[in-house]
Amino acid sequence: MPKVFLSGYAKLPENTTAQKLYNHLVLVVTVQTPEGTILDADCTMATELGRRFIRELLTGYDLHRGPEPLTTLLAQTYYGHLRRALQTCIKGICTQFDQLGHAHPPAP
């Protein structure tokens, strides 16, 4: 099972706990290729609960679907201050995946 490591970055909003610790939000994922399935995720959120929530939300997602379904799901379930930064990171990861040439699922 080939894997790739992808990352997305976004500036953190001011006056958040994460911004006190970091300048940017970093979201990283490992992805099974060419299937596009996110195997694991981690980010520089300040709390373990927040990192676990994002990990559970992203794990299993098929990057062939693009960022929109995932950013929409995030908007419907995550009400923290980092929502826009997380959405930016997700879009960056999807762009990186597309650049790998795996934008469309392999033919059966």
Side-chain angles (χ1 to χ4, degrees):
M1 163 178 67
K3 288 193 282 188
V4 295
F5 181 90
L6 305 174
S7 59
Y9 301 87
K11 186 168 173 51
L12 286 165
E14 293 187 22
N15 299 320
T16 61
T17 304
Q19 193 263 338
K20 304 286 186 215
L21 300 170
Y22 311 105
N23 290 324
H24 290 84
L25 176 69
V26 180
L27 176 64
V28 294
V29 297
T30 54
V31 179
Q32 180 178 342
T33 60
E35 294 81 3
T37 306
I38 295 177
L39 300 171
D40 200 2
D42 198 4
C43 62
T44 55
M45 293 177 79
T47 65
E48 174 60 32
L49 182 60
R51 291 188 301 274
R52 189 171 58 238
F53 181 84
I54 296 304
R55 177 179 292 121
E56 291 171 2
L57 188 73
L58 271 61
T59 300
Y61 184 77
D62 180 358
L63 290 175
H64 292 115
R65 298 178 64 200
E68 290 79 18
L70 195 50
T71 57
T72 298
L73 179 60
L74 187 72
Q76 294 169 346
T77 59
Y78 178 84
Y79 292 93
H81 296 288
L82 304 183
R83 181 189 303 168
R84 291 180 70 189
L86 285 163
Q87 290 172 323
T88 298
C89 290
I90 289 167
K91 290 174 186 175
I93 286 169
C94 287
T95 298
Q96 283 183 342
F97 182 72
D98 289 349
Q99 291 172 348
L100 293 175
H102 300 296
H104 302 287

